[in-house]
C-alpha cells in the first residue's frame, strides 16, 4: 500500500440537508457568450451520457458524443426493466428524502459517501418531473397520478415504472432531447466509434482516440473536458445480463492513464435472471426485480424433489426468504436474495436442469387479483420469459437464478464527479458512485440521470471556469502519441492470415475468464480461492498472448475494415487487467459487506460481518505500470446515520 496519493473528495461542510444546494450556489459560472468556445467530449450514449450531452448543449456548449452503437437508442440503459426510485411519497406510505437517503446508505452496507447518497435522494424528485416533461409514459393510477411499486431493500413504494420497459422509455426521452440538440447543431454525434485511448496533455484529459468500427481507421478527438459515461464492467464474467458488447475498455484505458479505480470487487449478482441453458450462450436475460412484489420465491422442502411445482402441496414448499426474513420477505436486497438462493441450490435443493434454479411463483397474486391485473403490470416480462423458455409463467412458476448484473465499483470520482485525472469526469455506472457495496434495485437509472441531468451540467462548467486550457488540435504531440500507442496495440493483436496465432476464438478465452471470475469473485469469495484465481488469470492471459489474437485478412497489420474479432480481442485484453485488479481488491478487503461476501467473515446466521475499524473506506487503486497496482484509501465518515449491522429480518 502507498500513502503517496491524497484522495480529496471535496465534500461540502455543514448540514447534509443543504450541502448540494450550497455547493451549487457557490460554483463559478461561464457567460453564455464564452460557452461556445469550450468544447466538451462525451463517451457513451446511455442515460448518463445522453442526458449530460443534451443538458450541456442546451446551456450553449459545443458537445461531441461518441458511441459504439449505430444509434444512441441502442445503449444498454434500454434494457433496464423494473423502474426508477424517487422520494415523492405519492403512495403516502411514509417515504421521504431522508428515508431514501437512509435506505441507500444502509443498502450499500455503509460503504458509500453520506453526502453523495443524500444528494441522490434530494435530486430524485426532480428527475421524475424532468422525465415526465420529456414525455416518458410512466404507469398511472386510475385518477391520473403516477403509480409506484416496491423494490428490494425498502419498506415503501417509491419506484416509478413504465411496465417492464422503464429503461427503454427513459432512454428514449433522453435521446429525444439529445437529438434535438443534434438538429440544432450543438451536438456532433459520432456513432460506431470505440474508444481505445485517453489523450492527456500535461496530466489533464483533453480527448480520446477512437477506432471507427466500419472503416477500422483510428481517429483523435479533442475537447476542453472529457466525460466518460460508458457503463459498467459486468461482462468480465462473460455471461451477464449486460449487452454482449458492453465492456470496460474506456474505463481501463483511463485507469492506465492515471485515473484511480475504486472498489472494483463490488459487483452485484442479480437474483432474478433466467438460468443459463447452453454452454455456448452469449448472455443472460434479466427478469425484473419488480416481479418479487407479487411473486413468491420458494423451493421444495425436500432435497431431490423432482415433482412438477403444481404437484407439490403448500406444506412441502419452503418459502425461504419469507421464512428467514419475515420483515422484508421476498423484498430483501439483491445480495441477500442471491446468496440464499445459491446456498440452497448448492445443498441440492435447487430445481430445473442441474438444480440451478429456484421458483418465482405468481400464482397467489393471480388468484388474488386476476390474470388481467398481473398482465397489465408485467405483461412484456411474462411474454419475454415465455419466448425464451417455452413455459407459461401464468400457469407455472418462473425458474430464476442469480447472475452478474451491475458493478458498484468504477473510476474514483470526487463530489463533483471528477476523477483523479483533472478534466476527466465520470458519470453513471462508470463511476463508483453512491451505491456502496450493494445497489438497491431501481437506483441505477436514478443515479445515471442525476449525474447527467443535474450534477455534471453544474460541476463541469465550474471546472472549465477555473481551469483555462490552451487549444489542443489533433496534430498535438499528445494526440499523435496516443494514436501511435493505439496502432501498436492493434498490431500486437493481429496476425497475418495463415499464421498459427488467432486459431483459437477470442470468445473461448473470454468464457474461461468468466468461469474463473464467477467461481472465485462472484456471489462469495475466499482468500485461497482469490489467490488461486490470480495465478490462473495470469496463466490464461499468457495463453491468449501466445495462442490467441486475431487473423488480419489484409495481412497488413492495420486492422482496417469491419473486424468483430478484433473488437473482442481489444476488450478481452482490458478485461484481463480488470479481472486481476478485482481479485486483488477482493483479497485486500478482509471483511464481508454487501455483495462482497468473504466466507471467512460471516455471522453464525450466514450474514456478512463488516470490519468498520479497518475497512470503513473506499479503496482506490492506482495503475503502476509493470509493478503491482497501488492501493489508496478514502476514509468514510457518518454523521446522520451511524454504521450499524445491516438486518432485514
Amino acid at each position: 500500500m502507498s500513502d503517496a496519493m491524497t484522495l480529496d473528495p471535496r465534500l461540502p461542510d455543514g448540514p447534509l440537508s443543504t450541502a448540494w444546494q450550497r455547493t451549487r450556489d457557490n460554483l463559478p459560472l461561464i457567460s453564455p457568450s464564452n460557452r461556445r468556445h469550450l468544447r466538451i467530449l462525451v463517451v457513451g450514449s446511455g442515460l448518463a451520457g445522453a442526458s449530460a450531452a443534451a443538458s450541456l448543449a442546451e446551456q450553449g456548449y459545443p458537445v461531441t458524443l461518441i458511441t459504439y452503437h449505430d444509434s444512441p437508442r441502442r445503449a444498454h440503459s434500454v434494457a433496464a426493466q423494473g423502474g426508477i426510485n424517487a422520494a415523492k411519497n405519492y403512495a403516502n406510505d411514509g417515504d421521504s428524502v431522508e428515508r431514501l437517503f437512509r435506505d441507500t446508505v444502509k443498502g450499500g452496507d455503509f460503504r458509500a459517501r453520506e453526502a453523495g447518497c443524500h444528494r441522490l435522494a434530494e435530486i430524485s424528485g426532480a428527475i421524475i418531473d424532468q422525465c415526465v416533461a420529456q414525455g416518458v409514459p410512466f404507469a398511472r393510477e386510475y385518477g391520473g397520478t403516477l403509480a409506484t411499486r416496491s423494490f428490494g431493500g425498502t419498506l415503501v413504494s417509491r419506484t416509478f415504472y413504465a411496465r417492464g420497459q422503464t429503461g427503454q422509455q427513459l432512454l428514449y426521452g433522453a435521446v429525444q432531447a439529445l437529438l434535438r440538440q443534434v438538429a440544432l447543431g450543438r451536438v456532433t454525434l459520432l456513432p460506431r466509434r470505440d474508444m481505445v485511448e485517453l489523450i492527456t496533455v500535461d496530466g489533464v484529459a483533453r480527448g480520446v482516440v477512437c477506432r471507427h468500427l466500419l472503416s477500422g481507421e483510428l481517429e483523435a478527438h479533442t475537447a476542453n473536458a472529457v466525460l466518460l459515461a460508458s457503463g459498467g464492467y459486468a461482462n468480465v464474467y462473460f455471461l451477464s445480463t449486460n449487452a454482449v458488447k458492453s465492456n470496460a475498455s474506456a474505463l481501463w484505458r483511463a485507469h492506465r492513464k492515471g485515473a484511480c479505480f475504486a472498489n472494483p470487487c463490488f459487483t452485484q449478482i442479480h437474483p432474478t435472471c433466467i438460468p443459463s441453458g447452453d454452454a455456448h450462450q452469449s448472455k443472460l436475460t434479466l427478469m425484473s426485480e419488480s416481479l418479487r412484489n407479487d411473486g413468491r420465491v420458494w423451493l421444495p422442502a425436500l432435497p431431490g424433489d423432482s415433482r412438477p411445482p403444481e404437484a407439490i402441496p403448500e406444506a412441502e414448499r419452503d418459502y425461504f426468504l419469507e421464512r428467514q426474513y419475515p420483515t422484508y420477505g421476498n423484498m430483501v436486497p439483491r445480495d441477500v436474495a442471491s446468496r440464499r438462493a445459491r446456498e440452497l441450490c448448492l445443498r441440492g435443493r435447487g430445481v430445473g436442469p442441474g438444480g440451478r434454479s429456484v421458483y418465482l411463483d405468481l400464482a397467489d397474486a393471480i388468484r388474488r387479483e386476476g390474470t388481467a391485473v398481473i398482465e397489465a403490470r408485467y405483461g412484456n416480462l411474462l411474454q419475454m420469459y415465455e419466448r425464451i423458455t417455452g413455459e407459461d409463467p401464468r400457469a407455472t412458476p418462473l425458474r430464476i437464478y442469480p447472475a452478474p448484473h451491475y458493478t458498484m465499483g468504477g473510476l474514483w470520482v470526487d463530489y463533483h464527479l471528477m476523477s483523479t485525472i483533472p478534466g476527466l469526469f465520470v458519470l453513471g455506472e462508470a463511476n463508483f458512485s453512491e451505491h456502496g457495496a450493494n445497489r438497491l434495485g431501481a437506483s441505477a437509472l436514478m443515479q445515471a440521470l442525476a449525474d447527467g441531468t443535474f450534477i455534471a451540467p453544474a460541476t463541469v462548467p465550474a471546472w472549465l471556469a477555473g481551469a483555462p486550457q490552451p487549444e489542443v488540435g489533433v496534430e498535438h504531440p499528445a494526440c499523435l502519441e496516443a494514436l501511435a500507442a493505439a496502432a501498436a496495440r492493434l498490431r500486437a493483436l493481429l496476425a497475418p492470415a495463415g499464421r498459427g496465432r488467432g486459431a483459437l476464438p477470442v470468445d473461448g478465452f473470454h468464457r474461461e475468464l468468466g468461469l474463473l471470475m464467477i467461481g472465485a469473485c462472484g456471489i462469495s469469495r475466499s482468500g485461497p480461492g482469490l489467490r488461486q484465481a490470480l495465478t490462473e488469470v495470469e496463466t490464461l492471459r499468457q495463453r491468449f498472448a501466445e495462442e490467441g489474437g486475431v487473423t488480419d485478412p489484409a495481412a497488413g497489420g492495420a486492422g482496417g475494415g469491419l473486424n468483430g474479432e478484433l473488437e473482442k480481442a481489444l476488450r478481452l485484453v482490458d478485461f484481463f487487467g480488470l479481472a486481476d485488479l478485482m481479485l486483488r481488491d477482493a483479497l485486500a478487503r478482509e471483511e464481508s459487506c454487501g455483495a462482497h461476501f468473504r466466507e471467512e467473515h460471516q455471522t453464525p446466521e450466514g450474514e456478512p460481518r463488516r470490519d468498520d475499524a479497518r475497512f470503513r473506506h473506499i479503496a482506490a487503486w492506482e495503475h503502476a505500470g509493470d509493478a503491482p497496482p497501488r492501493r489508496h484509501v478514502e476514509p468514510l465518515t457518518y454523521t446522520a446515520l451511524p454504521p450499524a449491522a445491516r438486518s432485514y429480518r
Side-chain angles (χ1 to χ4, degrees):
M1 181 185 294
S2 169
D3 296 323
M5 179 181 290
T6 300
L7 297 170
D8 181 7
R10 293 199 283 171
L11 298 178
D13 297 323
L16 281 176
S17 59
T18 57
W20 172 237
Q21 183 65 50
R22 286 183 284 105
T23 299
R24 191 173 52 186
D25 288 345
N26 290 305
L27 290 174
L29 301 175
I30 297 174
S31 71
S33 60
N34 287 335
R35 294 173 192 170
R36 67 177 68 99
H37 305 299
L38 296 168
R39 293 174 292 117
I40 296 171
L41 180 65
V42 179
V43 179
S45 64
L47 272 182
S51 60
S55 300
L56 288 161
E58 183 70 33
Q59 292 182 17
Y61 297 95
V63 177
T64 298
L65 187 143
I66 291 169
T67 177
Y68 64 70
H69 299 288
D70 55 354
S71 164
R73 291 188 183 92
R74 293 177 64 86
H76 186 59
S77 299
V78 79
Q81 298 168 346
I84 177 171
N85 287 332
K88 280 186 167 290
N89 196 30
Y90 282 179
N92 196 28
D93 57 359
D95 199 16
S96 65
V97 167
E98 290 303 310
R99 192 176 294 277
L100 175 53
F101 156 65
R102 292 197 300 269
D103 283 347
T104 304
V105 174
K106 176 184 174 183
D109 215 354
F110 297 91
R111 291 296 177 261
R113 288 188 197 129
E114 206 175 42
C117 293
H118 198 282
R119 176 174 63 182
L120 188 60
E122 272 181 74
I123 291 173
S124 65
I127 293 171
I128 301 302
D129 296 340
Q130 173 79 6
C131 293
V132 170
Q134 290 177 340
V136 174
F138 286 118
R140 292 180 181 268
E141 303 291 358
Y142 178 76
T145 57
L146 297 183
T148 56
R149 56 191 178 197
S150 297
F151 259 61
T154 66
L155 294 174
V156 296
S157 181
R158 66 161 67 102
T159 303
F160 296 77
Y161 62 98
R163 298 187 78 189
Q165 304 166 336
T166 311
Q168 180 189 65
Q169 299 303 327
L170 291 173
L171 183 62
Y172 285 3
V175 169
Q176 175 180 272
L178 170 69
L179 294 180
R180 175 176 176 269
Q181 299 300 323
V182 172
L184 292 171
R186 297 173 183 166
V187 173
T188 301
L189 181 61
L190 299 177
R192 299 188 177 95
R193 268 84 167 179
D194 210 3
M195 176 182 158
V196 292
E197 290 292 342
L198 178 71
I199 298 170
T200 60
V201 178
D202 298 326
V204 178
R206 296 304 306 271
V208 301
V209 172
C210 298
R211 180 178 180 272
H212 194 295
L213 298 180
L214 297 185
S215 70
E217 295 296 320
L218 293 176
E219 306 170 345
H221 300 278
T222 61
N224 296 92
V226 178
L227 279 60
L228 289 189
S230 53
Y233 50 90
N235 272 354
V236 70
Y237 295 102
F238 186 70
L239 282 181
S240 82
T241 65
N242 285 201
V244 171
K245 288 191 174 183
S246 296
N247 63 87
S249 287
L251 303 184
W252 195 250
R253 293 295 112 194
H255 173 61
R256 290 180 63 90
K257 280 282 189 177
C260 282
F261 212 116
N263 299 337
C265 78
F266 285 174
T267 56
Q268 185 170 80
I269 310 295
H270 199 292
T272 57
C273 299
I274 299 178
S276 174
D278 188 279
H280 298 285
Q281 194 166 323
S282 60
K283 78 175 297 294
L284 296 173
T285 302
L286 175 69
M287 285 286 101
S288 170
E289 181 173 303
S290 61
L291 288 165
R292 289 199 279 155
N293 275 282
D294 290 300
R296 301 180 71 190
V297 179
W298 64 276
L299 281 172
L302 298 175
D305 191 336
S306 59
R307 289 177 293 175
E310 60 272 15
I312 301 177
E314 281 288 316
E316 297 177 31
R317 299 181 179 189
D318 179 15
Y319 294 93
F320 56 92
L321 292 179
E322 298 173 29
R323 170 174 55 81
Q324 292 179 281
Y325 304 96
T327 301
Y328 282 75
N330 296 299
M331 300 309 293
V332 292
R334 293 174 176 180
D335 61 310
V336 176
S338 294
R339 271 198 302 279
R340 298 289 87 91
R342 175 180 178 270
E343 287 168 1
L344 291 174
C345 288
L346 289 177
R347 294 175 192 167
R349 298 269 305 279
V351 298
R356 300 282 285 182
S357 307
V358 300
Y359 290 130
L360 179 62
D361 198 341
L362 294 167
D364 282 358
I366 289 174
R367 281 193 294 269
R368 184 176 62 249
E369 303 193 50
T371 302
V373 172
I374 300 303
E375 281 277 4
R377 289 178 188 161
Y378 312 111
N380 60 307
L381 295 172
L382 305 183
Q383 294 163 12
M384 183 165 60
Y385 181 87
E386 188 171 9
R387 284 198 301 269
I388 291 172
T389 66
E391 300 173 0
D392 182 0
R394 305 161 195 83
T396 189
L398 294 85
R399 286 184 298 104
I400 57 170
Y401 193 72
H405 175 60
Y406 187 89
T407 51
M408 286 77 66
L411 295 187
W412 184 91
V413 292
D414 62 19
Y415 189 70
H416 294 235
L417 302 184
M418 192 160 73
S419 72
T420 50
I421 299 178
L424 178 67
F425 294 80
V426 191
L427 284 59
E429 192 179 353
N431 69 34
F432 83 99
S433 189
E434 282 78 46
H435 306 304
N438 175 67
R439 177 175 70 80
L440 291 179
S443 286
L445 303 179
M446 174 176 63
Q447 184 234 328
L449 285 171
D451 287 359
T453 307
F454 294 98
I455 303 173
T459 60
V460 174
W463 183 80
L464 291 171
Q469 300 291 333
E471 195 65 26
V472 171
V474 295
E475 297 302 321
H476 191 280
C479 296
L480 300 178
E481 180 183 343
L483 284 164
R489 288 178 57 224
L490 294 176
R491 285 194 297 271
L493 289 170
L494 290 163
R499 297 280 181 88
R501 282 190 72 228
L504 298 177
V506 176
D507 277 349
F509 288 96
H510 193 177
R511 188 177 290 108
E512 284 192 55
L513 176 66
L515 288 171
L516 275 173
M517 292 301 292
I518 196 65
C521 200
I523 295 178
S524 69
R525 300 98 187 260
S526 70
L530 292 165
R531 282 186 283 271
Q532 181 180 346
L534 276 167
T535 300
E536 292 178 352
V537 166
E538 182 56 31
T539 300
L540 186 61
R541 176 165 29 192
Q542 290 299 324
R543 273 187 51 212
F544 179 73
E546 295 167 5
E547 305 169 22
V550 180
T551 298
D552 179 15
L562 185 66
N563 193 332
E565 285 298 296
L566 179 58
E567 294 175 39
K568 292 178 183 178
L570 284 164
R571 293 164 183 171
L572 178 59
V573 170
D574 294 336
F575 276 136
F576 279 134
L578 177 59
D580 179 89
L581 191 66
M582 290 170 64
L583 294 167
R584 291 175 185 272
D585 188 45
L587 190 59
R589 189 170 282 276
E590 287 276 1
E591 66 164 352
S592 289
C593 56
H596 170 65
F597 187 76
R598 283 287 296 270
E599 294 170 6
E600 304 93 326
H601 306 287
Q602 57 180 302
T603 67
E605 297 80 23
E607 302 294 349
R609 176 176 280 144
R610 293 196 322 264
D611 186 343
D612 290 339
R614 294 195 299 154
F615 292 100
R616 194 171 69 183
H617 59 240
I618 296 158
W621 294 81
E622 178 190 5
H623 182 67
D626 294 331
R630 292 186 282 266
R631 187 178 188 267
H632 309 280
V633 301
E634 177 200 328
L636 291 168
T637 58
Y638 297 94
T639 57
L641 189 66
R646 194 177 61 142
S647 175
Y648 294 94
R649 294 185 182 273

